[in-house]
Amino acid sequence: DAGVTQSPTHLIKTRGQQVTLRCSPKSGHDTVSWYQQALGQGPQFIFQYYEEEERQRGNFPDRFSGHQFPNYSSELNVNALLLGDSALYLCASSLIRQSTDTQYFGPGTRLTVL
Amino acid sequence: AQSVTQPDIHITVSEGASLELRCNYSYGATPYLFWYVQSPGQGLQLLLKYFSGDTLVQGIKGFEAEFKRSQSSFNLRKPSVHWSDAAEYFCAVGASSSGSARQLTFGSGTQLTVLP
């Protein structure tokens, strides 16, 4: 049973560029959430996708956007990168129909903005 | 809005000693509470969770946590720490809204160092 997978593992970009991160959920899960974890901080919720729609959003600017595909995989896009976007980006998946849904996390993508 | 406080930024214990990591939460309804562990450069691994029922929950790797509603706390404990337990520990509270899965709010984490 494959867990949550993310690609790429590491990424280096320069300010102003755009980046796309990818996530495949745990087998059987239908919901994907994205979190940003800055160095020395706890993860912060960016947004959540279910049935190919954004369902919830945290306090992040609209430079952060996403997509969910029919196979439940998801992408996180960040435009006009800033130095402050450097962080570990974590994807988590869950099954929304469970009344006690639990989120399982992937290994993350380390984004460095120079 | 929900929030989580982990008062201890860094804790050092000797191998074999007992451990307690503190977590206080703020949430208007019955909370769904979680403890995750993160090793360097890794994602988050779920240790245990509380949804309802017995306030003492057992998790993986010999960890347990006790939900105390009166104190708004969900402290993590382990009777005997192993060197492999050195990692960062995050407490989280889950908030849900209709038609959505839970959105997690995390504390800032507690870094655990284990001395030989």
Side-chain angles (χ1 to χ4, degrees), chain B residues 25-33 50-52 67 69 93-94 102:
Chain B
Y25 69 89
S26 173
Y27 186 59
T30 299
Y32 285 13
L33 296 161
Y50 171 78
F51 289 145
S52 64
F67 170 60
R69 184 186 299 275
V93 62
R102 235 155 238 84

Side-chain angles (χ1 to χ4, degrees), chain B residues 17-39:
Chain B
S18 63
L19 171 70
E20 182 169 27
L21 302 183
R22 296 184 290 165
C23 172
N24 293 97
Y25 69 89
S26 173
Y27 186 59
T30 299
Y32 285 13
L33 296 161
F34 305 83
W35 274 98
Y36 286 87
V37 61
Q38 185 176 39
S39 297

Side-chain angles (χ1 to χ4, degrees), chain A residues 38-39 43 90 95:
Chain A
L39 200 60
L90 296 164
L95 182 60

Side-chain angles (χ1 to χ4, degrees), chain A residues 1 5 10 17-20 31 39 43 45-46 51 53 58 66 73 75-76 79-80 88 93 101 104 109 111 114:
Chain A
D1 179 20
T5 59
H10 294 88
Q17 285 190 311
Q18 178 265 343
V19 68
T20 297
T31 302
L39 200 60
F45 177 75
I46 302 174
E51 291 186 329
E53 292 186 8
S73 67
E75 289 182 349
L76 163 66
N79 295 322
L88 181 68
S93 73
D101 64 281
Y104 292 88
T109 293
L111 172 64
L114 302 176

